[in-house]
Amino acid sequence: MQQFIDSIEAAIQEATGLEAGSFKLEKPRNAAMGDFAFPCFLLAKRDKGNPAKIAGELAAKLNENFDGIEAIATGPYLNFKVRRTDLAKAILGDILGQGASFGNSKQGEGKTVVIDLSSPNIAKPMSVGHLRSTVIGAAIQRLHDKLGYKTVGINHIGDWGSQFGKLVAAVDRWGDTVDLEKDPIPSLLKLYVRYHEEEEGDPELQEAAREAFRELESGKDGHVRGIWRNLTELSMKEFDRTYARLNVTFDEVRGESYYEDHLDATVDRIVAAGVTEESQGALIVNLEQFGEHVPPCLLRKTDGTTLYATRDMAAVFHRHELYNFDRCLYVVGGDQRLHFQQLKHVLDRMDIDWESRVEHIDFGMLRLPEGKMSTRQGKVVFLEDVLDRAVEEARKIIDEKNPDLESAGEIAEMVGVGAVVFNDLKRERTKDIEFVWSEVLSFEGDTGPYVQYTHARLASILRKAEPGAMENADYACLEESSALLLTMGNFPAVLQRAATKAEPSEVTQYLLALAREVNSWIAANRVLGQEAPTTAARLQVVAAARQTINIGLGVLGVGAPDSM
RNA sequence: GCGCCCGUAGCUCAGCUGGAUAGAGUGUCCGCCUCCGAAGCGGAAGGUCACAGGUUCAAAUCCUGUCGGGCGUACCA
């Protein structure tokens, strides 16, 4: 499809003297007007003329040299219509010829993107909130993979910090009251909550927790570290189960604890850059130059221990040394905007030239109808429960509508999990989401299962077609199908925009629109049993649409079943 | 208090870097399984794009202010 855009743009440049890149073709208001549009306001301004008149004159001029493309002036717009058979042939040829690599690009060749995603905290259950970072981050990684970047997905596990002192002390004291092996996460959560409550009036507990974290930080490999290591392993085993269901893998799993040894060097490096100062007994980087309200970044507390920010500084230096990234994306909730701003400001003050390559890919918070989620108040929805219920629901629908379906269990898993993941990727990243069960468990309309269902229908038609039925197509019968063809042809551009903006919802929204078009096209265009050249042409549309949906769902990490 | 983000149909959301008559889904109402999958398709109703100014040939989109909501605001992560 790109070839049409290129030749139209080239012709406009030649006829008007506009420079390449100074204008962009748009999509006409409705498909009947044409395939591509060029608003003439820009020219009208330059030449102080009437845009409608300019459009008319330009149309006449361009049509002299066009072959297979027609320029039509409609008011101040200049619309272009490609010869239908050429359009169909080019787009279907592209998609079917490229197969699974349709949408691939070389734009990322030789470039590296580091993505920090998921990053749950040890000993806490994954809530639907963690789903967002995991699923958004994984989609962004796959998008970049598709565009030829080298990608490194990093799961930066929260396994360090003063709360682990409490946890270790709690396990030490009351570990035998729960079954850690069988039910690790809920048990740990219970212990943590109990410790939190009881230490209020018990200085001894407070001191025990502090002591435990001190020992942990000292690096001594003894009793405390043993407990901590065990907690970590138990939690990771649980997390891995969920990741497997979500179809997410990581290139690097590193706890914050990994940076223990890097902390002193990191602080030294920032001090050496001359940007630190002492304030109220703590070591800080003053950031007032970025705005009088920007609070300083704390590197060392009064007691000498480090903070989250220190560990993140260590991590970003480490990642840069290791990967020399072109983009370093942090897929972390919007509640941490200030933290990442500070991180970037510190890099900026240190005159680090790759500062602009570090991006906080923030996303909206997930709220329950009754308010903000809170683990301690029991106001959480656990991810496993959501997945289980969605799968259960999918199974119920399959039993009802398609009781003979083979491997119904696997497909129910694909559809249920797909519904949850798709739903999470549906809205613009930064928007807050209210978690409503009925919405997550809905399989109709703007949902993942709707797209999956469309895929299954297309696959079903292809299964029923005779071998070789796609040969000798008569593209003339696709006269009325050009809107759908253009949508499919636009897929590579959608992927590129989604990657640049780190915005998976561009893909979900695209797939919903495509599925909608496909479904009404199927209703209006009988494929099988037509005259052979007609069936052949329509089968190509079916195959191309199936292929495009399949790739799109793949990027999102949602399964594309051939039947469901 | 201050900073950042958000406000589009009853509800959930699209609307790309300003461009043609603001679009989907859901819910409500009506129609379609003797024809490739009804998790579907077609149709109806539903909008002062929070409000008020401004910039522009052109504003849901950019700027300012007001109101409403969310998040954050130095020794948690």
Side-chain angles (χ1 to χ4, degrees):
Chain A
M1 188 173 89
Q2 191 60 40
Q3 63 268 42
F4 301 122
I5 296 174
D6 289 344
S7 57
I8 291 169
E9 287 186 344
I12 293 175
Q13 283 165 39
E14 204 192 308
T16 63
L18 285 174
E19 279 177 42
S22 67
F23 64 96
K24 211 188 95 186
L25 294 184
E26 297 176 3
K27 199 177 153 183
R29 179 102 188 87
N30 62 57
M33 293 173 170
D35 307 324
F36 307 99
F38 174 65
C40 295
F41 303 102
L42 204 74
L43 282 175
K45 193 167 197 174
R46 189 190 69 178
D47 303 338
K48 299 197 190 338
N50 175 335
K53 195 171 158 225
I54 292 174
E57 289 165 1
L58 197 52
K61 198 159 156 194
L62 290 173
N63 279 328
E64 283 171 24
N65 297 316
F66 270 149
D67 179 30
I69 298 176
E70 190 190 354
I72 310 148
T74 311
Y77 288 85
L78 189 54
N79 294 320
F80 299 91
K81 201 167 196 166
V82 176
R83 190 187 294 144
R84 304 288 77 168
T85 49
D86 291 354
L87 190 76
K89 208 167 159 184
I91 292 176
L92 293 172
D94 271 0
I95 299 176
L96 298 175
Q98 292 175 45
S101 60
F102 176 53
N104 284 14
S105 131
K106 289 185 178 166
Q107 77 173 60
E109 235 170 56
K111 293 183 182 160
T112 302
V113 179
V114 172
I115 300 144
D116 181 306
L117 73 162
S118 196
S119 308
N121 288 322
I122 295 294
K124 281 192 190 163
M126 273 213 232
S127 73
V128 278
H130 290 107
L131 177 67
R132 300 221 73 201
S133 173
T134 310
V135 155
I136 292 171
I140 291 171
Q141 178 168 14
R142 287 191 216 90
L143 273 168
H144 282 91
D145 283 338
K146 189 115 182 85
L147 300 184
Y149 291 87
K150 178 187 174 213
T151 64
V152 185
I154 302 181
N155 194 0
H156 186 64
I157 306 284
D159 65 351
W160 208 246
S162 43
Q163 82 269 30
F164 289 97
K166 283 183 204 176
L167 215 42
V168 169
V171 171
D172 217 9
R173 238 157 245 254
W174 308 314
D176 47 1
T177 65
V178 292
D179 191 345
L180 274 178
E181 292 300 326
K182 186 164 162 281
D183 247 351
I185 307 255
S187 306
L188 288 171
L189 187 63
K190 209 156 94 192
L191 291 181
Y192 183 70
V193 171
R194 176 171 169 194
Y195 207 90
H196 206 75
E197 282 167 1
E198 292 196 16
E199 76 168 358
E200 286 286 310
D202 191 342
E204 201 182 309
L205 284 183
Q206 288 175 25
E207 184 44 38
R210 264 199 296 272
E211 179 51 38
F213 186 56
R214 242 193 315 267
E215 183 175 334
L216 206 51
E217 274 214 309
S218 74
K220 184 179 156 198
D221 198 356
H223 179 61
V224 168
R225 183 152 291 242
I227 293 178
W228 171 81
R229 195 176 295 128
N230 190 32
L231 300 181
T232 308
E233 278 162 17
L234 287 172
S235 301
M236 286 309 297
K237 219 184 289 173
E238 291 281 300
F239 294 158
D240 284 343
R241 236 190 28 228
T242 305
Y243 291 138
R245 292 187 80 176
L246 294 174
N247 225 337
V248 173
T249 54
F250 303 96
D251 302 295
E252 194 183 295
V253 179
R254 240 188 258 277
E256 280 186 70
S257 57
Y258 173 84
Y259 295 101
E260 253 183 292
D261 300 339
H262 295 58
L263 293 175
D264 287 339
T266 300
V267 172
D268 288 348
R269 178 168 174 180
I270 302 170
V271 170
V275 300
T276 55
E277 55 193 79
E278 288 264 325
S279 172
Q280 298 170 31
L283 183 69
I284 66 159
V285 180
N286 188 307
L287 301 174
E288 271 176 9
Q289 69 190 91
F290 300 99
E292 56 176 319
H293 299 294
V294 181
C297 176
L298 264 78
L299 296 175
R300 266 194 211 286
K301 299 191 249 182
T302 320
D303 66 4
T305 56
T306 59
L307 292 110
Y308 178 46
T310 327
R311 294 189 279 277
D312 251 5
M313 291 299 306
V316 80
F317 287 136
H318 181 249
R319 287 168 190 186
H320 184 258
E321 272 153 34
L322 226 47
Y323 303 113
N324 188 26
F325 49 70
D326 292 89
R327 290 181 95 178
C328 178
L329 309 177
Y330 287 89
V331 185
V332 180
D335 52 350
Q336 292 188 42
R337 277 195 194 104
L338 180 60
H339 167 75
F340 285 103
Q341 250 167 36
Q342 290 181 313
L343 186 106
K344 281 169 66 68
H345 287 333
V346 172
L347 295 175
D348 196 3
R349 280 209 60 187
M350 293 173 74
D351 281 329
I352 283 173
D353 58 0
W354 44 267
E355 177 267 334
S356 63
R357 302 184 195 171
V358 177
E359 300 171 54
H360 177 205
I361 307 302
D362 59 339
F363 54 82
M365 302 278 82
L366 214 119
R367 284 192 323 277
L368 292 173
E370 58 266 34
K372 201 186 172 184
M373 285 205 199
S374 156
T375 315
R376 255 178 279 153
Q377 295 170 40
K379 286 200 301 188
V380 258
V381 180
F382 299 124
L383 182 51
E384 285 282 320
D385 293 343
V386 179
L387 297 178
D388 288 345
R389 272 184 69 174
V391 170
E392 213 174 283
E393 186 70 21
R395 185 57 197 254
K396 220 162 36 189
I397 296 174
I398 289 171
D399 289 344
E400 192 181 298
K401 304 192 183 224
N402 200 354
D404 301 329
L405 183 64
E406 276 178 54
S407 51
E410 278 169 50
I411 301 214
E413 174 79 14
M414 214 189 268
V415 173
V417 174
V420 174
V421 172
F422 194 94
N423 182 259
D424 211 61
L425 295 173
K426 200 163 76 180
R427 299 163 199 76
E428 203 183 345
R429 224 180 51 217
T430 55
K431 288 208 161 135
D432 287 352
I433 299 183
E434 187 176 86
F435 183 88
V436 183
W437 276 104
S438 64
E439 212 174 288
V440 179
L441 297 181
S442 152
F443 293 179
E444 287 168 20
D446 276 352
T447 65
Y450 172 72
V451 179
Q452 291 175 316
Y453 176 76
T454 309
H455 182 268
R457 277 184 80 180
L458 294 168
S460 163
I461 294 174
L462 292 170
R463 267 197 305 274
K464 287 176 179 148
E466 303 285 334
M470 257 189 252
E471 310 291 322
N472 303 318
D474 172 20
Y475 294 111
C477 76
L478 300 180
E479 193 84 11
E480 307 299 317
S481 310
S482 47
L484 173 59
L485 292 167
L486 283 164
T487 301
M488 293 196 284
N490 198 33
F491 181 62
V494 170
L495 292 180
Q496 288 187 18
R497 200 167 57 229
T500 308
K501 291 167 67 179
E503 183 56 272
S505 73
E506 295 268 349
V507 181
T508 44
Q509 293 295 335
Y510 170 83
L511 286 176
L512 286 170
L514 175 60
R516 232 177 281 127
E517 277 189 80
V518 165
N519 278 316
S520 45
W521 182 85
I522 290 179
N525 297 273
R526 170 95 195 164
V527 177
L528 301 176
Q530 310 299 298
E531 286 182 34
T534 300
T535 287
R538 291 184 179 164
L539 266 178
Q540 290 190 14
V541 174
V542 169
R546 202 217 112 254
Q547 180 80 265
T548 308
I549 292 176
N550 190 286
I551 297 170
L553 287 176
V555 164
L556 299 175
V558 173
D562 283 338
S563 53
M564 62 189 268

